[in-house]
Amino acid sequence: YLYLSPLNEHMSKGERLRLNILVSGGKGISEGSLQMQIDPKLKVLGLGAGDFVANEGGSLEQLPGKGGGLTVNFRRTGSATDSGALFWLEVEAVQSGNAPVLIQGGKFMIGTNPISGRWMNALVTVE
């Protein structure tokens, strides 16, 4: 199960926010990818590996997705950790209005076996 934290946030233009993409029940996951769509009212400043990846000797790769989206691939050399931050995403509010941050799809593997995932998205409101 994946979810963004915070799930709902209010910001002013020019403010920055760090969103964490958290994993729960992820024991055994060795690698995967996540497709995200970030509303253009938010500018992506950067992202980095969370403890779910970093503590297992893993790596993270960011690729541009379709239509201004973002694809994040990850790999872990260990798979004992069950939950934690998959990665963090830092954004800056650049335009007023509702700015959803959406997980549009994902692929997760336990060894060579694909597993399904569920997720919750976040909404940022820019004043």
Side-chain angles (χ1 to χ4, degrees):
Y1 195 72
L2 295 163
Y3 58 100
L4 287 100
S5 176
L7 289 173
N8 199 338
E9 185 69 31
H10 290 270
M11 300 173 65
S12 298
K13 278 197 273 186
E15 279 189 320
R16 293 179 175 196
L17 172 68
R18 183 174 279 196
L19 288 159
N20 287 297
I21 291 71
L22 302 173
V23 175
S24 177
K27 186 172 184 148
I29 294 176
S30 53
E31 64 182 284
S33 67
L34 206 58
Q35 293 78 43
M36 299 191 68
Q37 189 69 41
I38 293 97
D39 191 282
K41 295 178 194 76
L42 301 172
K43 177 182 176 185
V44 176
L45 300 175
L47 65 83
D51 59 352
F52 185 76
V53 172
N55 290 353
E56 296 282 352
S59 62
L60 198 66
E61 177 187 29
Q62 172 187 347
L63 303 166
K66 6 179 206 176
L70 176 69
T71 297
V72 179
N73 297 322
F74 68 93
R75 183 176 312 270
R76 304 190 315 157
T77 54
S79 57
T81 306
D82 181 60
S83 59
L86 181 59
F87 62 94
W88 55 265
L89 181 67
E90 187 174 4
V91 296
E92 180 180 352
V94 294
Q95 188 180 340
S96 297
N98 287 336
V101 179
L102 308 173
I103 298 171
Q104 293 193 304
K107 182 178 88 174
F108 310 99
M109 304 291 285
I110 293 181
T112 58
N113 299 313
I115 62 165
S116 61
R118 296 184 332 196
W119 42 81
M120 285 179 62
N121 295 312
L123 177 64
V124 176
T125 304
V126 180
E127 307 294 333

